[in-house]
Amino acid sequence: MAIDDIYTQGIAAGWSVRDASTLSADAVLETEVAIVGSGAGGGMAAEILTAAGLNVLMIEEGALYTAADFKDMDEWRGFSTLYQEGAGRMTADGAVYVFQGRAVGGSTTVNWTTSLRTPDPTLEHWAQAYALRDSTPADLAPWFARCEERLGIAPWAMEPNRNNALLRDGCARLGWSWKTIPRNVRGCWNLGYCGLGCPTNAKQSMLVTTIPQALRRGMTLLHHARAEALHFSANGVAALTVRALGKDARTPTGVTLTVKARHYVLAAGAINTPALLLRSRAPDPRGLIGRRTCIHPVNASLALFDEPVHGFHGAPQSIYSDHFLWPAQGLGYKLEVPPLQPVLMSGIFGSHGERLSLDMRQLDHAQVCIALMRDGFDAATSGGRVRIDAQGQPLLDYPLTEALWDGLRRAYLSMAEVQFAAGARSVRPVHLDGHDYRSWDEARRAIAFLPMRAQRATLYTAHLMGGCPMGEDKTRCVIDSRGRHHEIENLSIFDGSMFPTSIGANPQLSIYAFVARNATALADSLTPRRSASTDTAGVSAARHDAGGHRHAEA
Amino acid sequence: MTPPAAIAGFDRRAFLKLGVAGTWTLVACSTAATLAGCSTAAPPASGYRWLSTEDLALFSALLPAVNGPAWPDETSIRDEALRRIDAALAALAPQAQEQTRQLLDLLHWPVFRHLACGLSAPWSRAPAEDIARFLQRWRDSRLELFNAGYRGLAKLAQLGWWSQRASWDACRYPGPPAWAVAALNG
Ligand SMILES: Cc1cc2nc3c(=O)[nH]c(=O)nc-3n(C[C@H](O)[C@H](O)[C@H](O)COP(=O)(O)OP(=O)(O)OC[C@H]3O[C@@H](n4cnc5c(N)ncnc54)[C@H](O)[C@@H]3O)c2cc1C
Ligand code: SF4
């Protein structure tokens, strides 16, 4: 059964999809709203702004790949084409591996489909510490519901794969709370390759939902195009410079585009959005941009089971435990599992030579737990800082504090305990000093003495949050509660960089809901007359027929 | 010539000898290498975007050492692994590329190779046991810098092999479900 890749037909039907690598001359592009980035925030914003009849140009540095490209379910292809820095991004000191998407659809093209609402205590903390307005659980409930409906989000109804089931069984045996994960899928084949691009279009990523819908309403999508700098005048952002990238989606071709818009939306993701603002020397009287970048630092624990686990197949995440998320004291963490395909696993084993060969032969019997630290809620874990290098490229400094190491050690313990409770034959903390412990007792004694140091512990993040915090407290926040920049009238920030701390849950649904709410408010403010129209589809169709974007050769 | 016995306690002392005590950074070390006139700054080898001829020799030696007996040592697989390592490095951000360049330059510099890696022969001729010992030392070192070097080199060599289909038998990975592959490509 061939899968309709959506874009082939759409482009044939006249969608405005442009590949900047093919442009040969500089140009000025005019539009009502320019959106930088096509991930969770950019995609959701595009659908809502085009529904209001606005003329939208979406700018994405990565390439356009579709289900047709994902059919091989191949790790090398996925990592090298769909991720920032070919999946080799790291914090500046190299201590944490950073996973982010870089293609049309952004990280939603490669994410693992876990879709959780922002926890209530997190919303309460933001209201209290950052004066975030109108964002109580009750305020946001309709927006969560709307996004869940839009993206097919529902608890996973099939039996979890064994990698997840073992987390569930271990929790059940210990009396720890656990839950089934809601996923943003429709007609999922339960294959397990969400991280490499979904080959069936089941995953309701921005690539297959909001972006096609916005294109139907006349949006222009410009890919292979990197937003370089915003230019400011007395009235706010006056223009945006965009560099065309070559076929490799990395090397600039020399063609420069100047985008002129009424309003600019930044949705390049945490790390890249703050970096773009820093590169542009955006007004930042209190030096807030890029600070307090939170990452849910992740550590991992590897268990071997007598029975096969086959963690490389099946929906990657379907069970989680928040049993340790809100402890009375110290840093809290969430327990989940990752998909276990060979490249990721070769790093998790942490060995080399004969040992690695032996380890890899047990891939099908491996089960891996991960713990995500809820960073940013107090001074002991106040996040990292995005800065730019001499070429203006982003760097993330992320200090590993004592409080963080304490949480990581407790997480190694929890993970080992739950894995033994599930029947593990042995458990190895993913740490250079970790060994295969044979019992919970042995593991507990050894983990108590693991040196908690950078480069000894293997650390990851796939959740980048903060750097442009949202709230009414101007001494701490870059944007207001509707995502509008406090100093710059025609600039909004609609992506993971808006969060004042980490979320304490996988970020995508938090991004969708806040952006749905804030983009709706933006659409209302940009279209005071048009918002009365009940026939938005008709309005946008008419605008599209009238010529869409005006292009002028420079 | 440093006698083998001295190399055993190699890392701290080696760095002291290089005159960079206090600043344990690759940048400083690499400056030492440059001052000593031993830095390479070699252009990419022909057909590669990033790896120099010397780097190719280094990774050719690391691939079997990192991946162990599962590594098949066939020319076509080695060439593909090197091509993938090359692409992975070319995709990194400028600072990460620079730091990797500095690390590799140090590894090519005979004094460093000798003192910090314990290798008397160049990478292309180094005995497998010596390379294995080098990896283990850098892994076990108390210096974060060496741990980071170990991780970086191992990760690239692992990527070069375990991302290839030819490795699937060695890790009992069946690949994507056959029914799905057939359905999607039918
Ligand atoms: C492997 C992986 C698994 C994940 N699993 C989950 C999960 O199961 N559940 C969950 O909730 N979250 C998950 N996440 C995280 C989630 O996908 C992200 O938090 C979310 O997509 C972030 O949205 P965003 O809009 O901030 O940025 P992104 O979705 O990352 O999109 C940003 C886009 O902007 C583009 N861009 C960057 N800079 C520029 C520039 N200068 N010019 C033009 N374009 C630019 C990027 O290429 C990218 O496409 C996962 C992430 C990864 C990487
Ligand atoms: S598990 Fe489902 S959503 Fe994920 S890649 Fe497979 S079909 Fe797509």
Side-chain angles (χ1 to χ4, degrees):
Chain A
M1 172 173 63
I3 297 288
D4 170 14
D5 82 355
I6 305 179
Y7 285 79
T8 306
Q9 284 191 20
I11 291 168
W15 287 1
S16 179
V17 176
R18 312 207 168 178
D19 178 349
S21 72
T22 64
L23 301 177
S24 52
D26 292 357
V28 177
L29 308 179
E30 291 180 30
T31 183
E32 281 179 299
V33 183
I35 301 179
V36 177
S38 65
M44 187 53 74
E47 177 163 273
I48 288 167
L49 297 172
T50 53
L54 288 158
N55 191 325
V56 173
L57 169 65
M58 175 179 268
I59 299 146
E60 167 56 53
E61 67 176 340
L64 171 62
Y65 293 105
T66 67
D69 302 298
F70 305 152
K71 287 189 289 196
D72 60 8
M73 294 169 264
D74 184 73
E75 277 191 289
W76 169 251
R77 190 263 316 140
F79 289 138
S80 59
T81 61
L82 302 176
Y83 285 76
Q84 287 289 356
E85 301 181 43
R89 188 169 261 195
M90 291 179 292
T91 50
D93 64 357
V96 185
Y97 300 116
V98 177
F99 292 95
Q100 282 183 293
R102 186 185 195 270
V104 174
S107 300
T108 76
T109 297
V110 295
N111 81 18
W112 299 344
T113 72
T114 293
S115 304
L116 300 167
R117 294 185 177 197
T118 318
D120 290 356
T122 302
L123 294 174
E124 285 151 19
H125 177 70
W126 293 346
Q128 187 260 320
Y130 297 85
L132 179 63
R133 224 188 331 113
D134 306 333
S135 304
T136 63
D139 292 328
L140 284 164
W143 297 102
F144 285 127
R146 171 178 163 170
C147 294
E148 286 161 353
E149 162 73 27
R150 172 68 182 98
L151 302 174
I153 293 172
W156 182 232
M158 291 176 85
E159 171 65 11
N161 75 0
R162 228 175 132 59
N163 194 32
N164 281 278
L166 288 165
L167 172 61
R168 175 196 63 195
D169 297 350
C171 286
R173 231 155 271 160
L174 292 166
W176 296 357
S177 59
W178 60 270
K179 279 194 167 143
T180 298
I181 289 180
R183 305 181 61 223
N184 57 325
V185 296
R186 286 195 167 93
C188 171
W189 293 21
N190 198 17
L191 299 173
Y193 294 88
C194 313
L196 308 174
C198 174
T200 69
N201 289 331
K203 174 163 69 176
Q204 300 295 286
S205 66
M206 299 301 96
L207 175 68
V208 307
T209 58
T210 54
I211 294 174
Q213 185 61 11
L215 287 166
R216 273 176 217 119
R217 293 178 180 142
M219 177 177 82
T220 292
L221 167 63
L222 183 68
H223 55 86
H224 286 79
R226 185 167 71 212
E228 194 64 33
L230 298 162
H231 304 280
F232 300 94
S233 70
N235 303 325
V237 183
L240 167 69
T241 315
V242 173
R243 297 225 184 287
L245 303 178
K247 286 270 161 276
D248 64 358
R250 264 178 245 292
T251 322
T253 61
V255 169
T256 300
L257 305 167
T258 304
V259 174
K260 298 203 164 172
R262 257 177 87 194
H263 198 90
Y264 299 80
V265 170
L266 301 189
I271 298 186
N272 283 31
T273 285
L276 172 57
L277 289 168
L278 292 171
R279 211 159 49 225
S280 311
R281 300 179 190 286
D284 183 21
R286 293 175 195 84
L288 299 170
I289 294 171
R291 296 198 187 253
R292 301 192 50 80
T293 298
C294 295
I295 67 171
H296 282 162
V298 167
N299 64 345
S301 181
L302 162 85
L304 293 170
F305 283 78
D306 289 332
E307 299 299 310
V309 177
H310 292 163
F312 31 71
H313 289 157
Q317 296 192 315
S318 52
I319 300 291
Y320 72 97
S321 171
D322 279 353
H323 195 75
F324 299 95
L325 189 58
W326 304 99
Q329 277 204 325
L331 185 59
Y333 46 87
K334 189 177 192 75
L335 299 178
E336 297 180 348
V337 308
L340 308 184
Q341 281 121 23
V343 172
L344 266 185
M345 280 305 286
S346 68
I348 284 178
F349 281 118
S351 53
H352 65 266
E354 203 158 317
R355 184 59 205 261
L356 178 61
S357 281
L358 288 172
D359 280 340
M360 288 299 284
R361 286 195 73 74
Q362 313 189 69
L363 177 76
D364 54 348
H365 288 253
Q367 193 272 344
V368 176
C369 276
I370 54 176
L372 298 80
M373 304 293 131
R374 185 174 50 74
D375 56 339
F377 283 70
D378 57 28
T381 60
S382 56
R385 180 180 180 187
V386 174
R387 56 190 169 90
I388 50 173
D389 67 11
Q391 290 114 316
Q393 293 310 302
L395 292 171
L396 172 60
D397 294 319
Y398 191 88
L400 298 164
T401 61
E402 275 314 309
L404 204 57
W405 288 123
D406 174 65
L408 290 162
R409 188 191 302 278
R410 282 183 284 115
Y412 278 129
L413 287 167
S414 305
M415 292 190 282
E417 187 173 9
V418 80
Q419 287 170 319
F420 279 117
R425 158 161 45 100
S426 65
V427 171
R428 182 193 311 180
V430 179
H431 183 294
L432 290 187
D433 299 297
H435 295 285
D436 289 327
Y437 309 120
R438 298 283 154 176
S439 69
W440 164 225
D441 208 47
E442 187 192 352
R444 181 166 46 190
R445 276 181 281 122
I447 292 169
F449 291 101
L450 279 183
M452 287 292 152
R453 295 213 325 262
Q455 299 295 350
R456 301 304 299 168
T458 304
L459 301 175
Y460 306 88
T461 172
H463 297 168
L464 288 300
M465 297 156 291
C468 300
M470 167 177 59
E472 302 306 314
D473 180 352
K474 288 192 189 183
T475 65
R476 311 190 73 184
C477 298
V478 173
I479 56 177
D480 69 16
S481 305
R482 288 291 181 281
R484 308 271 297 238
H485 196 285
H486 275 305
E487 322 283 332
I488 307 160
E489 169 63 23
N490 63 343
L491 180 64
S492 296
I493 296 176
F494 287 171
D495 63 15
S497 57
M498 72 182 139
F499 298 115
T501 67
S502 78
I503 296 167
N506 310 48
Q508 68 172 340
L509 182 53
S510 297
I511 298 173
Y512 297 140
F514 272 98
V515 169
R517 197 266 306 264
N518 292 350
T520 302
L522 175 64
D524 286 346
S525 84
L526 292 178
T527 58
R529 277 156 296 116
R530 274 182 259 156
S531 60
S533 164
T534 47
D535 182 18
T536 49
V539 171
S540 65
R543 299 177 58 79
H544 183 45
D545 292 347
H549 301 274
R550 297 175 293 275
H551 290 264
E553 294 301 315
Chain B
M1 274 275 124
T2 317
I7 294 175
F10 77 108
D11 49 27
R12 273 175 199 288
R13 251 172 301 148
F15 267 96
L16 290 170
K17 278 184 197 153
L18 294 172
V20 291
T23 29
W24 307 100
T25 69
L26 282 174
V27 185
C29 303
S30 166
T31 310
T34 313
L35 290 177
C38 299
S39 181
T40 49
S46 106
Y48 291 84
R49 294 171 58 181
W50 205 92
L51 295 172
S52 69
T53 318
E54 278 185 295
D55 300 335
L56 291 173
L58 173 84
F59 281 107
S60 298
L62 284 174
L63 281 162
V66 167
N67 292 309
W71 173 252
D73 224 358
E74 284 165 30
T75 312
S76 61
I77 286 173
R78 191 195 59 212
D79 289 351
E80 182 59 19
L82 293 171
R83 196 187 67 74
R84 292 182 178 197
I85 292 168
D86 186 57
L89 287 165
L92 292 177
Q95 185 198 273
Q97 292 197 23
E98 243 165 71
Q99 287 180 346
T100 313
R101 181 75 273 151
Q102 286 163 348
L103 169 65
L104 294 179
D105 283 354
L106 277 172
L107 293 173
H108 297 319
W109 185 30
V111 179
F112 185 87
R113 199 188 62 223
H114 215 104
L115 294 175
C117 312
L119 294 180
S120 42
W123 291 95
S124 56
R125 285 188 278 112
E129 315 83 71
D130 289 5
I131 299 179
R133 206 171 320 121
F134 148 73
L135 286 169
Q136 196 61 41
R137 280 170 168 182
W138 277 39
R139 189 182 192 281
D140 293 343
S141 170
R142 295 181 52 79
L143 295 182
E144 198 178 311
L145 187 63
F146 287 126
N147 297 165
Y150 166 79
R151 280 182 183 277
L153 296 172
K155 186 180 169 205
L156 288 163
Q158 288 161 353
L159 177 74
W161 168 230
W162 300 105
S163 70
Q164 295 196 46
R165 264 164 185 271
S167 74
W168 290 355
D169 275 349
C171 61
R172 304 209 185 128
Y173 172 54
W179 64 267
V181 175
L184 289 166
N185 295 282

